[in-house]
């Protein structure tokens, strides 16, 4: 096999490029031969051209996830080698996006607030390379249908709108069923790990600062007294208006009795 010159990898992609090139060199394949192998993998999404595979090996720009999978499988990579390729791809994508370090999400067992919990969910999505929402939705699963029930289309556990809100931290605290579906869609399937996440969700749900509106207002000792004074003045004005409308007091100073009728519709 003649050596093929490739474009130098970008700063975030060097590890992935080195790994992919090593797989191809071990297999002794040209890019044309590798493309032929991807065409017979049995999945149309993994059929990749030789030009695309060559660009993937250079990694000057990050290839698509499917291209990385096709490259690894076409080279006869082991499941461990394929997982390493995907891990390197996810890390490169996360560094390229530059969002993960901004989230500053704590470890799951250190989560105590809603803000920390939603940041941790978003960070998890970034860690796996922020895949397309449809991909996460499909991985999360569908709503089980009763036996014998005809269903024209699948009902996903995680609606796209909710999924987008979780990934972009637009929901203060998602329902646990949606959190669990999101976690499974991101590859978190171990019951023990899911249990840690659920405990963190419970801590976030009892976050008093978030319940009060995401921030505690400074205490004002005179606020209650001022509000009570305003209420008293409003009540006195209301009584005087009613008295003026009812007429004048009699010789003994007694005001006429007012009859208040219900304003409810009949």
């Amino acid at each position: 096999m003649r050596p093929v010159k490739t474009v130098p990898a970008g700063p975030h992609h060097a590890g992935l490029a080195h790994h992919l090139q090593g797989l191809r060199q071990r297999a002794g394949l040209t890019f044309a031969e590798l493309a032929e192998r991807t065409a017979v993998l049995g999945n149309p999404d993994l059929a990749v051209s030789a030009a695309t595979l060559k660009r993937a090996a250079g990694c000057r720009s990050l290839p698509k996830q499917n291209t990385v999978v096709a490259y690894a499988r076409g080279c006869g990579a082991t499941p461990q080698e394929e997982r390493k390729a995907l891990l390197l791809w996810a890390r490169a994508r996360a560094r390229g996006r530059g969002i993960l370090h901004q989230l500053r999400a704590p470890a799951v067992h250190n989560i105590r607030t809603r803000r920390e919990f939603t940041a941790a969910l978003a960070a998890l999505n970034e860690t796996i390379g922020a895949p397309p929402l449809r991909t996460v939705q499909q991985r999360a699963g569908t709503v089980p249908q009763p036996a014998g029930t005809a269903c024209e289309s699948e009902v996903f556990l995680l609606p796209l709108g909710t999924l987008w809100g979780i990934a972009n931290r637009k929901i203060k605290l998602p329902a646990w069923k949606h959190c669990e579906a999101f976690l499974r869609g991101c590859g978190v399937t171990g019951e023990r790990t899911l249990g840690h996440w659920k405990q963190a969700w419970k801590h976030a749900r009892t976050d008093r600062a978030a319940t009060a509106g995401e921030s505690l207002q400074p205490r004002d000792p005179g606020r209650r007294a001022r509000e009570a004074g305003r209420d008293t003045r409003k009540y006195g004005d209301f009584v005087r208006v009613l008295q003026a409308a009812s007429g004048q007091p009699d010789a003994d100073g007694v005001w006429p009795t007012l009859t208040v009728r219900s304003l409810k519709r009949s």
Side-chain angles (χ1 to χ4, degrees):
M1 179 188 69
R2 293 185 304 170
V4 180
K5 294 182 179 180
T6 58
V7 180
H12 302 312
H13 317 139
L16 176 61
H18 183 267
H19 183 64
L20 294 179
Q21 289 171 8
L23 293 176
R24 186 179 64 85
Q25 290 171 2
R26 185 189 66 187
L29 300 171
T30 65
F31 286 110
E33 293 170 339
L34 181 55
E36 292 177 359
R37 286 198 175 190
T38 64
V40 295
L41 288 175
N43 186 342
D45 295 335
L46 299 182
V48 185
S49 68
T52 301
L53 292 167
K54 186 175 182 179
R55 287 194 298 270
C59 284
R60 190 176 183 89
S61 60
L62 191 67
K64 293 181 179 180
Q65 188 178 35
N66 281 351
T67 301
V68 174
V69 173
Y71 197 115
R73 294 183 183 179
C75 291
T78 64
Q80 293 79 7
E81 290 171 334
E82 182 179 327
R83 283 196 294 269
K84 181 179 179 180
L86 290 174
L87 178 61
L88 292 170
W89 175 85
R91 288 177 178 174
R93 179 164 167 80
R95 288 194 294 266
R97 285 168 60 85
I99 297 175
L100 184 59
H101 75 279
Q102 299 176 8
L103 294 172
R104 298 179 180 179
V108 177
H109 60 273
N110 289 331
I111 293 175
R112 291 296 181 272
T113 68
R114 297 184 180 186
R115 192 179 299 274
E116 291 174 346
F117 186 82
T118 55
L121 288 177
L124 174 63
N125 182 59
E126 290 295 323
T127 300
I128 64 172
L133 296 182
R134 288 285 186 186
T135 300
V136 178
Q137 185 186 49
Q138 292 170 0
R139 292 174 182 171
T142 56
V143 178
Q145 298 295 326
T149 302
C151 184
E152 296 181 356
S153 60
E154 294 179 315
V155 179
F156 291 99
L157 289 170
L158 196 57
L160 276 180
T162 303
L163 174 54
W164 180 89
I166 294 175
N168 292 279
R169 303 176 65 192
K170 298 299 183 181
I171 303 177
K172 291 183 178 180
L173 185 65
W176 170 247
K177 65 177 182 179
H178 290 147
C179 293
E180 183 178 12
F182 181 83
L183 291 168
R184 293 186 184 277
C186 290
V188 179
T189 56
E191 293 303 321
R192 183 175 181 180
T193 305
L194 287 172
H196 294 325
W197 276 97
K198 188 171 186 178
Q199 188 63 33
W201 178 82
K202 290 180 179 178
H203 286 307
R205 187 177 60 174
T206 58
D207 176 19
R208 295 183 178 180
T211 305
E214 295 298 327
S215 63
L216 293 175
Q217 298 295 330
R219 188 173 182 179
D220 183 359
R223 178 181 177 183
R224 182 171 298 178
R226 291 196 300 272
E227 290 179 349
R230 286 197 299 268
D231 291 342
T232 300
R233 289 193 298 272
K234 290 179 180 178
Y235 178 75
D237 293 340
F238 176 69
V239 171
R240 283 190 289 273
V241 169
L242 289 179
Q243 290 176 340
S246 63
Q248 297 296 324
D250 57 19
D252 296 328
V254 178
W255 288 87
T257 301
L258 296 177
T259 301
V260 180
R261 296 181 179 178
S262 174
L263 296 180
K264 293 183 179 180
R265 295 180 178 178
S266 56

